[in-house]
Amino acid sequence: MRWRYHLPRASWCSGLGRTSRPPDERIPFLTHWSWSLKREPPLDPLRAFTRHHGSSADSAPPSGRHGQVFRSISAAEAIQRHRRNLAEWFIRLPREERQFGPTFALDTVHVDPVIRESTPDELLRPSAGLAQEHQPPPAGLPALALSQLFDPDACGRKVQTVVLYGTVGTGKSTLVRKMVLDWCYGRLPAFELLIPFSCEDLSSLGPTPTSLCQLVAQRYTPLKEVLPLMTTAGSRLLFVLHGLERLNLDFRLAGTGLCSDPEEPGAPAAIMVNLLRKYMLPEASILVTTRPSAIGRIPSKYVGRYGEICGFSDTNLQKLYFQLRLNQPDCGHGAGVSATPAQRDNLVQMLSRNLEGHHQIAAACFLPSYCWLVCATLHFLHAPTPAGQTLTSIYTSFLRLNFSGETLDSTDPSNLSLMAYAARTMGKLAYEGVSSRKTYFSEEDVRGCLEAGIKTEEEFQLLHVFRRDALRFFLAPCVEPGHLGTFVFTVPAMQEYLAALYIVLGLHKTTLQRVSKEVAEVVGRVGEDVSLVLGIVAKLLPLRILPLLFNLLKVVPRVFGRMVGKSREAVAQAMVLEMFREEDYYNDDVLDQMGASILGVEGPRRHPDEPPEDEVFELFPMFMGGLLSAHNRAVLAQLGCPIKNLDALENAQAIKKKLGKLGQQVLPPSELLDHLFFHYEFQNQRFSAEVLSSLRQLNLAGVRMTPLKCTVVAAVLGSGRHALDEVNLASCQLDPAGLRTIMPVFLRARKLGLQLNNLGPEACRDLRDLLLHDQCQITTLRLSNNPLTAAGVSLLMEGLAGNTSLTHLSLLHTGLGDEGLKLLAAQLDCNQQLQELNVAYNGAGDTAALALAKAAREHPSLELLHLYFNELSSEGRQVLRDLGGTAEGRARVVASLTEGTAVSEYWSVILSEVQRNLNSWDRARVQRHLELLLRDLEDSRGATLNPWRKAQLLRVEGEVRALLEQLGGPGS
């Protein structure tokens, strides 16, 4: 099953069959099915549709004639137009789904959730506690396919009305869309005509009188010609009523009178009641979808079959869902390179292994909606990122897909948003967990948050509806050993998201703050009148206390405002401290942590008897920043959780104040990336520029720079104006696409370290463009331990020829060989600013090294040339030593640890390079070079009589022998 079909319960368009208008891109597609759509080429009804697990298309398509009822040519043409219009309407993809690839479409693949037949006794049986409400369905009960919904029941009786129910996120909207499209493509031959209704659309009409024929004609224009035939269609006519919880039905005769005429005007709810009573069109088939709390609105005597949508209770269905969705080709958003098929297969395999070994994530993916969230998160982490997409926006869109337009109880006059109720209750539980650093909650913890402040019968009814319809969406029983009987949030990051939402909505208040707010509101309401009376009395009577009371009335609101400000500062302080916890300094960055939680950690697992690690909530501050962004606030307002602009501004100012104090400290690379990711989530360039204005060193060495992380760094720092003293991206697994993404940051750097990144000649093309850029201010460029080869150096020299800022260039261990060094020697004079060039450990021989050394001697600015660890003979090293020691003011050539009978002043530089790269270089080759250097040291020590020089030589010999021992060679 596909999560993208989880549409909010809303209205189908009343203008199907008429000319459609382009949608407003500022409003999400899924909020209302009644919105207009973009015009696209008509859908081919014969387009292939891959089916998985119990499709409704198990039987052959019908013939061209529509049975015995709609056999006239005009009726057949009208129904065919109706099929095309419905297909074009239901095939549309929301904006959130376009990220998954250009070939991602509804009619390509589908996985049906499990549907289990149930009985009225099961529906009415009360649950003893939260644990029973979260129990999976019994394994022995029969499962239904879509094609079996209207089969005769166990007693052989004809089934005409089917009610499918499921909690939020189980896939009710998906099944409706699947069934409608199956009918449109001729794969549901049991029904000649299908008419879908959205109960939200019907409820919006209120008590306005209308008839069934008018309802159909207004929404499906092509069916005007076949309306007179509806009464004779019998069971081959299927009505689909989606989202019954949005419609208030009264089956009492005193409330809804009997009516059998489809053309008789009446309230929409009354028409639906008579349809369900089988008093109007008694032979028609009806499919109803609803949330569990609304099942009782239809008396069971009018229902032929109940079916519970159980989601993906089979792990194989989860794997199939992931395989179909993650294997879609990428759209190619952003500057990154799309994942290869092998990379996508590897992603699916890792996820499958984690589903098999980690039962908690399998329990979360029981709900198809969370399968969508897992796929969207993985796509965000591993695929090119669309502009402006953030992790917070994914979670906000996820909630919009499930809760947009949803009210908790349509019968309650408060019309409370379901998401607002969840933010107040589940947000409180989530925040208490973050505050006390726990992720496991007892039943008492859950009840305490759900029942806090409930005093009236109406509030208890709302709680009952929430527990039946949505609690399972947020909480799942823990299946980990040692924590059985407790509850966890279905996805760990959802706890941090809801905790952040609880804070930014201002729902977290102390008792003093609540009392102070009430007092301030009361004083504010009566303050003006009392002040006026006191002013008059003060003029008539000489009472000195009255002016004092007059001023006190003005002070109360200010005091409350300061208390609120202090509360925001305390929240900002807690958020910043969570972001910069020293205990988390040396763990992975938050993006890698998210990937590991979904895909699992390769290698041995932690032993169950080991003490548990401290819970980490590093996403909590990221979500707080993300929820304050304008885009997410707009979406939350649609969900009934508005964040006022003034509140967002004051929260941002409090956060900026705390970040300005604590954000200036030097952070480890992973924590620095987390800091940048916070700013990326916030999506406020001005805020980030002010907070990061003191950043001078960007050290992300060792952080695996995925396309997303490159996008984060470029988005946050690319538009800054102040220069960066150093950008260190050593050992970051950078590729040419990543280099292009971070190019705006490189233009601000003075020192750039790109060592150990496996960059090849292709990357040198981008580095050449960087050096030739008119804003380039790089003075030091380190490219050591990258396979640049001679072809790459040729491109670099083109950049050097037009560059005026570079003074230090390191090409240590870049695979240049003789060809590369000769190329450098021939073109070295094209650059007149270079002061130091390191080409050590490049496999060059005597001839190429000597040619480069001579070119360096003639260079006007070059001061130092590194040539050690090349394939030099003893005679070649001696010639280079003699060459470097002559002509004062010329470039010095470092080819060995010795200079004549003395130790080279660069010996520590050479040995530190060896020590730093000992694990990445060819150990046998390094050992051979160290043995040659040791021989030079011994020869120099034997040739000198100066005891001071002998001591220095002995000291360096000891260092070399220590390195040889690390390599397993003869240290003595």
Side-chain angles (χ1 to χ4, degrees):
M1 173 188 146
R2 293 181 171 279
W3 164 244
R4 64 167 179 274
Y5 323 142
H6 285 261
L7 299 180
R9 272 52 67 183
S11 60
W12 282 281
C13 179
S14 59
L16 286 177
R18 297 199 297 260
T19 304
S20 55
R21 297 174 291 118
D24 187 351
E25 286 298 333
R26 295 170 298 175
I27 306 176
F29 175 89
L30 288 183
T31 301
H32 292 288
W33 290 355
S34 58
W35 294 342
S36 301
L37 300 167
K38 292 182 179 178
R39 297 300 296 170
E40 293 183 5
L43 212 61
D44 181 6
L46 300 179
R47 188 172 177 180
F49 191 99
T50 306
R51 305 185 305 274
H52 299 280
H53 184 73
S55 170
S56 60
D58 291 337
S59 51
S63 61
R65 291 173 49 125
H66 290 274
Q68 300 298 318
V69 181
F70 306 105
R71 56 182 167 182
S72 67
I73 296 177
S74 60
E77 290 178 351
I79 290 180
Q80 192 60 30
R81 289 199 305 271
H82 177 57
R83 289 178 189 265
R84 287 197 298 267
N85 291 342
L86 275 184
E88 192 161 340
W89 179 252
F90 278 88
I91 200 68
R92 299 299 192 215
L93 284 177
R95 184 174 61 252
E96 288 83 359
E97 297 293 5
R98 298 172 196 160
Q99 62 178 311
F100 287 103
T103 63
F104 197 67
L106 174 62
D107 62 337
T108 55
V109 286
H110 179 79
V111 181
D112 283 337
V114 173
I115 304 175
R116 181 185 65 86
E117 186 169 4
S118 59
T119 63
D121 293 338
E122 295 178 31
L123 303 177
L124 298 176
R125 186 183 302 125
S127 58
L130 293 175
Q132 282 71 25
E133 292 179 5
H134 287 77
Q135 287 296 327
L141 294 175
L144 292 172
L146 289 180
S147 58
Q148 301 171 327
L149 292 180
F150 289 93
D151 288 352
D153 62 12
C155 299
R157 290 174 298 200
K158 187 178 180 180
V159 173
Q160 291 181 293
T161 302
V162 177
V163 174
L164 296 180
Y165 65 94
T167 59
V168 175
T170 50
K172 300 181 292 296
S173 301
T174 300
L175 287 177
V176 169
R177 291 172 67 91
K178 174 62 167 55
M179 178 168 279
V180 170
L181 283 170
D182 275 351
W183 180 81
C184 292
Y185 296 145
R187 292 192 293 268
L188 205 58
F191 304 104
E192 293 184 30
L193 179 60
L194 183 147
I195 302 177
F197 284 114
S198 166
C199 292
E200 181 179 4
D201 178 27
L202 298 178
S203 67
S204 67
L205 300 177
T208 305
T210 185
S211 68
L212 178 62
C213 291
Q214 288 175 332
L215 287 176
V216 174
Q218 289 172 357
R219 283 151 184 79
Y220 308 110
T221 307
L223 296 183
K224 287 183 178 180
E225 301 179 22
V226 300
L227 288 178
L229 302 177
M230 283 198 309
T231 55
T232 60
S235 62
R236 298 182 70 90
L237 169 62
L238 173 63
F239 287 99
V240 178
L241 307 181
H242 180 58
L244 185 73
E245 68 276 357
R246 303 302 302 268
L247 200 60
N248 295 328
L249 303 180
D250 187 355
F251 279 80
R252 297 173 303 144
L253 288 176
T256 304
L258 298 176
C259 178
S260 61
D261 186 1
E263 297 184 4
E264 179 71 21
I271 294 174
M272 295 303 119
V273 167
N274 281 301
L275 270 179
L276 291 167
R277 281 172 173 167
K278 292 301 175 184
Y279 201 79
M280 182 184 294
L281 302 180
E283 296 297 323
S285 301
I286 303 175
L287 175 68
V288 179
T289 66
T290 182
R291 299 200 309 240
S293 63
I295 295 175
R297 297 185 187 180
I298 305 178
S300 59
K301 64 181 179 180
Y302 298 126
V303 180
R305 173 173 285 128
Y306 290 96
E308 179 183 6
I309 304 175
C310 300
F312 294 156
S313 55
D314 185 356
T315 307
N316 291 325
L317 293 180
Q318 300 172 9
K319 293 179 181 178
L320 180 60
Y321 180 96
F322 293 132
Q323 181 180 359
L324 295 175
R325 181 171 286 264
L326 294 175
N327 277 328
Q328 294 291 323
D330 297 320
C331 278
H333 295 286
V337 176
S338 298
T340 64
Q343 290 172 329
R344 290 194 291 266
D345 288 342
N346 182 57
L347 208 63
V348 172
Q349 290 175 9
M350 292 179 65
L351 182 55
S352 297
R353 287 196 297 269
N354 201 31
L355 283 171
E356 295 170 358
H358 189 187
H359 300 292
Q360 196 62 56
I361 190 174
C365 293
F366 169 83
L367 291 174
S369 56
Y370 276 99
C371 291
W372 181 93
L373 182 60
V374 167
C375 288
T377 304
L378 286 177
H379 199 272
F380 175 69
L381 294 175
H382 296 278
T385 306
Q389 187 185 58
T390 64
L391 183 66
T392 311
S393 70
I394 287 177
Y395 274 73
T396 307
S397 298
F398 169 68
L399 294 176
R400 174 175 60 184
L401 291 170
N402 284 276
F403 294 100
S404 182
E406 289 288 332
T407 56
L408 184 58
D409 186 1
S410 62
T411 62
D412 186 74
S414 66
N415 204 30
L416 181 63
S417 161
L418 180 56
M419 189 62 228
Y421 192 89
R424 191 177 72 209
T425 54
M426 293 292 95
K428 177 179 174 62
L429 180 68
Y431 180 72
E432 289 181 356
V434 171
S435 301
S436 57
R437 311 198 68 77
K438 69 176 183 179
T439 57
Y440 304 99
F441 303 93
S442 65
E443 186 166 338
E444 290 73 20
D445 296 332
V446 178
R447 288 184 181 277
C449 290
L450 289 175
E451 299 175 2
I454 292 182
K455 299 177 182 178
T456 65
E457 181 63 28
E458 291 77 11
E459 291 173 338
F460 272 108
Q461 175 61 25
L462 292 178
L463 173 59
H464 173 72
V465 172
F466 181 78
R467 285 180 55 171
R468 291 205 67 184
D469 292 349
L471 184 60
R472 193 175 182 180
F473 180 86
F474 294 102
L475 292 180
C478 183
V479 296
E480 297 177 3
H483 297 283
L484 298 178
T486 62
F487 296 89
V488 295
F489 279 86
T490 313
V491 169
M494 183 58 73
Q495 177 181 351
E496 299 175 71
Y497 179 93
L498 290 174
L501 181 62
Y502 185 70
I503 294 299
V504 298
L505 289 176
L507 299 174
H508 175 63
K509 293 183 177 68
T510 63
T511 303
L512 179 60
Q513 290 171 342
R514 287 193 294 268
V515 173
S516 300
K517 182 179 181 180
E518 293 174 1
V519 172
E521 289 175 350
V522 171
V523 173
R525 285 194 296 267
V526 303
E528 293 183 2
D529 297 334
V530 175
S531 298
L532 180 62
V533 173
L534 290 177
I536 296 173
V537 173
K539 292 179 180 179
L540 300 176
L541 299 175
L543 299 177
R544 297 185 178 182
I545 194 172
L546 293 180
L548 178 61
L549 294 175
F550 180 78
N551 291 327
L552 283 176
L553 290 174
K554 296 180 179 180
V555 168
V556 172
R558 294 182 203 163
V559 171
F560 173 71
R562 290 183 180 178
M563 292 181 62
V564 173
K566 292 293 184 182
S567 173
R568 289 195 177 98
E569 289 187 5
V571 170
Q573 177 77 6
M575 189 209 77
V576 174
L577 289 176
E578 185 65 44
M579 189 185 302
F580 297 117
R581 287 182 75 233
E582 293 185 6
E583 294 87 342
D584 303 334
Y585 268 15
Y586 299 101
N587 58 7
D588 293 334
D589 58 79
V590 290
L591 296 176
D592 281 350
Q593 289 178 36
M594 284 207 71
S597 68
I598 296 174
L599 299 175
V601 180
E602 297 295 325
R605 297 179 178 271
R606 184 174 61 85
H607 194 275
D609 295 335
E610 293 181 13
E613 299 177 357
D614 189 19
E615 296 292 349
V616 177
F617 296 99
E618 291 184 276
L619 278 175
F620 169 64
M622 314 300 169
F623 283 137
M624 274 197 65
L627 289 171
L628 293 176
S629 69
H631 169 75
N632 286 306
R633 285 191 286 118
V635 176
L636 287 171
Q638 298 172 13
L639 294 174
C641 301
I643 302 173
K644 297 180 180 178
N645 291 329
L646 183 59
D647 291 339
L649 177 62
E650 292 177 349
N651 276 307
Q653 289 175 342
I655 293 172
K656 182 168 66 175
K657 181 179 178 181
K658 298 302 177 181
L659 280 177
K661 294 179 180 179
L662 296 178
Q664 296 180 1
Q665 55 187 305
V666 178
L667 299 173
S670 61
E671 291 299 304
L672 179 56
L673 183 68
D674 291 348
H675 188 189
L676 298 179
F677 186 60
F678 166 80
H679 289 278
Y680 178 78
E681 290 291 311
F682 197 8
Q683 294 282 297
N684 189 321
Q685 289 288 349
R686 181 178 177 182
F687 175 92
S688 300
E690 293 177 1
V691 173
L692 297 172
S693 59
S694 60
L695 182 67
R696 290 293 179 268
Q697 290 187 337
L698 179 64
N699 180 17
L700 297 177
V703 174
R704 185 172 58 91
M705 294 300 292
T706 61
L708 172 61
K709 295 176 187 177
C710 293
T711 301
V712 168
V713 173
V716 175
L717 296 176
S719 60
R721 297 182 179 180
H722 70 278
L724 296 170
D725 294 337
E726 182 176 5
V727 174
N728 185 3
L729 295 176
S731 190
C732 289
Q733 303 180 34
L734 268 176
D735 56 12
L739 287 180
R740 288 190 289 272
T741 302
I742 315 179
M743 195 68 71
V745 181
F746 293 162
L747 293 174
R748 297 173 50 195
R750 292 195 174 96
K751 294 182 180 180
L752 177 58
L754 297 173
Q755 312 93 297
L756 290 163
N757 277 298
N758 201 32
L759 298 174
E762 182 185 354
C764 293
R765 204 176 299 275
D766 300 299
L767 293 173
R768 175 197 61 188
D769 297 340
L770 171 64
L771 292 173
L772 292 175
H773 199 284
D774 56 357
Q775 297 180 12
C776 179
Q777 50 187 318
I778 296 174
T779 59
T780 301
L781 178 59
R782 303 187 185 95
L783 296 172
S784 57
N785 297 298
N786 288 296
L788 304 181
T789 70
V793 168
S794 175
L795 294 170
L796 281 179
M797 293 309 297
E798 295 178 18
L800 281 175
N803 181 270
T804 59
S805 63
L806 192 66
T807 58
H808 295 73
L809 176 63
S810 176
L811 299 175
L812 170 74
H813 191 213
T814 51
L816 303 184
D818 288 339
E819 183 183 356
L821 263 64
K822 289 178 181 178
L823 187 62
L824 283 171
Q827 301 184 23
L828 191 60
D829 60 346
C830 296
N831 181 283
Q832 302 296 310
Q833 286 79 33
L834 202 60
Q835 298 176 11
E836 182 177 350
L837 177 63
N838 189 341
V839 290
Y841 197 17
N842 271 294
D846 293 349
T847 304
L850 185 58
L852 181 58
K854 289 180 179 180
R857 274 173 46 81
E858 299 171 359
H859 196 276
S861 62
L862 197 63
E863 298 174 357
L864 188 61
L865 175 65
H866 299 261
L867 284 170
Y868 48 85
F869 274 33
N870 279 294
E871 302 301 319
L872 304 175
S873 64
S874 299
E875 295 77 10
R877 289 197 300 275
Q878 184 60 47
V879 172
L880 290 174
R881 280 196 295 266
D882 296 341
L883 187 65
T886 61
E888 183 177 351
R890 301 295 180 90
R892 302 190 63 176
V893 179
V894 181
S896 178
L897 292 174
T898 61
E899 294 179 359
T901 59
V903 175
S904 170
E905 62 179 289
Y906 300 101
W907 71 269
S908 60
V909 176
I910 297 174
L911 295 184
S912 64
E913 286 283 2
V914 176
Q915 182 69 53
R916 186 163 46 246
N917 298 286
L918 207 57
N919 295 324
S920 60
W921 286 357
D922 182 357
R923 300 176 73 87
R925 188 174 173 187
V926 172
Q927 181 177 332
R928 179 166 55 83
H929 281 294
L930 287 176
E931 289 171 353
L932 291 174
L933 293 178
L934 183 61
R935 192 175 307 156
D936 285 345
L937 289 168
E938 291 172 344
D939 292 344
S940 298
R941 181 163 52 87
T944 182
L945 298 176
N946 189 322
W948 175 248
R949 288 185 176 179
K950 284 182 178 290
Q952 284 184 312
L953 291 165
L954 279 171
R955 177 190 172 190
V956 177
E957 285 180 33
E959 298 283 348
V960 174
R961 286 193 173 94
L963 288 174
L964 283 170
E965 288 179 358
Q966 292 184 42
L967 291 169
S972 58

